Amino acid sequence: MTELKKTPLNEVHRALGAKMVDFGGWDMPVQYSGILEEHKAVRTKAGLFDVSHMGEIRVKGPDALKLVQKLITNDASKLSINQIQYAVFCLPSGGTVDDLLVYKVADDEYLLVVNASNTDKDYAWVAQHKDGYNVEIVNESADTAQIAIQGPYAEQILQGLTSTDLSAIKNYWFTYGQVDGVDCLISRTGYTGEDGFEIYCPPDKAVQLWNKMLSAGGDNILPCGLGARDTLRFEAKMPLYGHELGEDVTPLEAGLGRFVVLEKEDFIGKDALVAQKAAGIPRKVVGFEMIERGIARAGYPVKKDGQQIGHVTTGSFSPTLEKNLGLAILDTKYAEIGETITVEIRNKDVKAQIVRTPFYKREAK
Amino acid sequence: MIKSDLKYTKDHEWVKVEGNKARIGISHHAQEAMGDVVFVELPEVGDEISQHDSFGTVESVKAVSDVYAPVSGKVVEINEALLDSPELINSDPYGEGWMIVIEVEDEGQLESLLSAEEYEAFLKEAE
């Protein structure tokens, strides 16, 4: 068995009594005080997440934009310096290599933030396509720690530790500044459906910043694990690779059409996606609510009139809405809001109804 | 936390013997390992269940766990409060969080259950 990878905060998690799990080869906290309590903290106050396991790939050089444009479905030419875009890497088949955030650092420099368990695959994917482009590609994942502070109190708590005017950072923008005297990249991003920031710092400063943010937040912040991160992103209908996305799922099927710019010049997967759109997208990720008692879980079959029409990609009790909800990828024919479906839960067909998503959306400020 | 007046199984159920009846739930250790319980499925009163068979499920936010019958018999009571308040399993596993009462068919089966001391030793070993 290969040893699990550890973030610079590993010992801090253990000292806080976190329950640790193997997450894609990383030894990560799944919960501290409890998933429901942590989830609620992020929705009502603030939560702190160690996301140092995420991957960072820097693309730098005169052809940086050209290469990024070839690799992603979104249009990076629309980005201003210090702006961020959600995007997808596709295979030529249109299937998804990974989803990512693209940070425009300079006209000739982009930072790609990718999923932890896909970092090596993504780095190889980027490197594999660099021939003919005048760029340098650096995998900075091991040299970067990342902490996310999320929730309505995130700005207020973080502001106490930095002279950077956080209110000036718009959603999906970033800046450089000091947090508690440490040089950081501060971005207004997150994966919870709440306002918040992600702070990139040197690994040897992660413990200092983590502890400072926790103490600055006092009773208004809780350390949160991957369990709450999953229920939060699920309520906000943010896809999780391996669930709503995968090499056999296109971003169009996953409902990410607005991040797929088919009018853009050539990019990997474009032909397949254009063809899929023209022919009609065969499957669609939808949200559903259980009508009868039961919790749908990932992988459970979804049926209509006894026939399987898809499967559950994520299912859970929703802590905010206090309902049993799920996401499923279904034959488009049956993917209409209001449609009644059944989820096969341990050999029993249990009724559910397709509903609008996201299940949860925070109120605009 | 282990209660000395109860019997236990290696699947982490507890049993309280009340005459010819057995009240059953899951142990403090089990609920703690599971985390926040958000859903419980129970059998119906009148169901006959066999020792070691799954008689219900307890689901936390992240996991689904089967609960196994420590002894065979007929279900004579179920804790309906759990259907609306599954969190009782977390807050009071040995009290309000009980799951079912079985009319014991074969009292000999009770002999196979672990005493509190044996269960404690079993947990230590598993650590």
Side-chain angles (χ1 to χ4, degrees):
Chain A
M1 205 179 91
T2 50
E3 202 173 320
L4 293 178
K5 288 181 263 191
K6 291 177 177 165
T7 76
L9 291 160
N10 191 274
E11 280 177 29
V12 175
H13 301 316
R14 291 178 181 279
L16 286 167
K19 208 179 273 181
M20 306 296 284
V21 292
D22 174 355
F23 178 78
W26 290 82
D27 185 43
M28 295 299 288
V30 66
Q31 66 166 67
Y32 302 81
S33 47
I35 294 174
L36 297 181
E37 193 183 348
E38 293 163 28
H39 182 111
K40 195 174 160 205
V42 174
R43 289 275 180 256
T44 59
K45 293 176 174 178
L48 201 60
F49 298 82
D50 176 14
V51 281
S52 302
H53 58 316
M54 299 288 285
E56 291 86 11
I57 301 168
R58 195 175 296 269
V59 181
K60 203 174 170 177
D63 292 337
L65 176 61
K66 268 197 207 158
L67 176 61
V68 169
Q69 287 289 66
K70 184 185 171 183
L71 292 169
I72 67 166
T73 55
N74 209 336
D75 186 357
S77 73
K78 296 279 195 289
L79 285 172
S80 302
I81 291 172
N82 286 25
Q83 198 178 5
I84 304 161
Q85 187 176 70
Y86 178 75
V88 176
F89 286 155
C90 280
L91 293 164
S93 66
T96 307
V97 176
D98 203 5
D99 60 338
L100 68 153
L101 291 179
V102 179
Y103 287 61
K104 180 168 179 175
V105 177
D107 284 330
D108 60 353
E109 187 175 344
Y110 293 82
L111 183 68
L112 312 178
V113 180
V114 301
N115 282 303
S117 51
N118 286 341
T119 303
D120 293 344
K121 176 178 90 165
D122 291 340
Y123 178 71
W125 182 252
V126 176
Q128 181 189 328
H129 292 94
K130 75 179 276 257
D131 281 358
Y133 294 92
N134 186 1
V135 289
E136 185 194 357
I137 297 160
V138 191
N139 186 349
E140 295 181 353
S141 307
D143 310 314
T144 313
Q146 194 189 335
I147 299 170
I149 180 168
Q150 300 279 299
Y153 289 16
E155 180 180 317
Q156 183 189 322
I157 294 167
L158 188 60
Q159 192 62 77
L161 298 173
T162 180
S163 57
T164 300
D165 178 10
L166 297 176
S167 68
I169 308 174
K170 286 181 283 191
N171 206 21
Y172 277 75
W173 286 72
F174 70 96
T175 190
Y176 297 95
Q178 286 199 332
V179 179
D180 194 38
V182 177
D183 289 326
C184 298
L185 183 160
I186 306 166
S187 66
R188 195 160 209 146
T189 49
Y191 192 51
T192 60
E194 293 303 326
D195 183 27
F197 299 88
E198 292 180 304
I199 293 144
Y200 298 73
C201 69
D204 62 344
K205 302 292 184 190
V207 172
Q208 175 195 332
L209 291 183
W210 174 274
N211 289 335
K212 271 289 164 123
M213 284 193 265
L214 265 193
S215 60
D219 293 339
N220 291 328
I221 196 166
L222 278 185
C224 300
L226 295 175
R229 187 168 162 84
D230 191 48
T231 51
L232 288 157
R233 71 91 197 163
F234 161 65
E235 287 182 344
K237 206 198 176 195
M238 292 170 156
L240 174 60
Y241 194 84
H243 289 256
E244 286 72 38
L245 284 171
E247 294 193 349
D248 60 342
V249 185
T250 73
L252 299 178
E253 292 172 317
L256 301 174
R258 66 194 172 100
F259 307 104
V260 178
V261 183
L262 293 174
E263 301 74 34
K264 194 183 87 170
E265 258 182 87
D266 196 35
F267 62 88
I268 300 170
K270 180 178 169 180
D271 293 346
L273 294 173
V274 167
Q276 185 174 65
K277 197 172 178 185
I281 300 162
R283 301 184 297 172
K284 197 174 158 191
V285 173
V286 299
F288 64 86
E289 178 179 337
M290 299 306 299
I291 298 173
E292 293 178 319
R293 293 189 80 245
I295 299 180
R297 302 280 181 180
Y300 287 3
V302 176
K303 301 186 200 169
K304 177 80 189 176
D305 303 326
Q307 297 293 313
Q308 185 167 351
I309 56 167
H311 67 269
V312 176
T313 54
T314 300
S316 177
F317 170 75
S318 157
T320 308
L321 291 106
E322 299 189 332
K323 289 175 179 172
N324 294 328
L325 303 174
L327 296 171
I329 186 157
L330 303 184
D331 186 328
T332 304
K333 247 193 322 218
Y334 304 102
E336 295 289 325
I337 307 282
E339 183 100 38
T340 311
I341 52 176
T342 58
V343 180
E344 190 186 311
I345 300 179
R346 293 182 292 281
N347 300 319
K348 206 170 104 189
D349 287 345
V350 184
K351 269 192 203 146
Q353 186 173 39
I354 298 175
V355 297
R356 266 176 221 292
T357 51
F359 303 116
Y360 169 85
K361 198 169 190 316
R362 90 181 125 103
E363 285 170 33
K365 265 192 195 173
Chain B
M1 200 178 77
I2 294 170
K3 285 191 77 176
S4 60
D5 58 334
L6 303 176
K7 293 189 173 290
Y8 300 86
T9 70
K10 289 185 176 178
D11 295 318
H12 307 287
E13 290 89 15
W14 58 260
V15 177
K16 186 175 188 195
V17 181
E18 300 167 341
N20 67 337
K21 292 182 183 142
R23 188 174 296 267
I24 296 162
I26 67 167
S27 72
H28 174 76
H29 171 85
Q31 67 78 24
E32 200 172 57
M34 291 193 72
D36 297 316
V37 173
V38 292
F39 188 80
V40 176
E41 208 167 60
L42 296 173
E44 290 186 19
V45 170
D47 284 359
E48 294 280 349
I49 51 178
S50 302
Q51 191 179 26
H52 307 311
D53 278 1
S54 163
F55 71 79
T57 49
V58 175
E59 301 196 32
S60 67
V61 181
K62 296 267 75 162
V64 183
S65 302
D66 282 314
V67 191
Y68 299 96
V71 291
S72 305
K74 189 162 84 173
V75 177
V76 292
E77 240 183 292
I78 61 166
N79 187 359
E80 291 195 14
L82 291 182
L83 303 180
D84 290 327
S85 305
E87 68 277 5
L88 292 171
I89 288 189
N90 294 121
S91 59
D92 192 8
Y94 298 122
E96 300 278 304
W98 67 276
M99 294 179 73
I100 59 170
V101 177
I102 286 180
E103 203 169 69
V104 181
E105 202 175 270
D106 172 6
E107 289 187 22
Q109 287 178 345
L110 296 168
E111 309 283 318
S112 65
L113 301 173
L114 304 178
S115 68
E117 293 74 28
E118 287 165 333
Y119 182 60
E120 192 168 15
F122 172 73
L123 288 182
K124 283 228 172 81
E125 211 173 290
E127 260 173 25

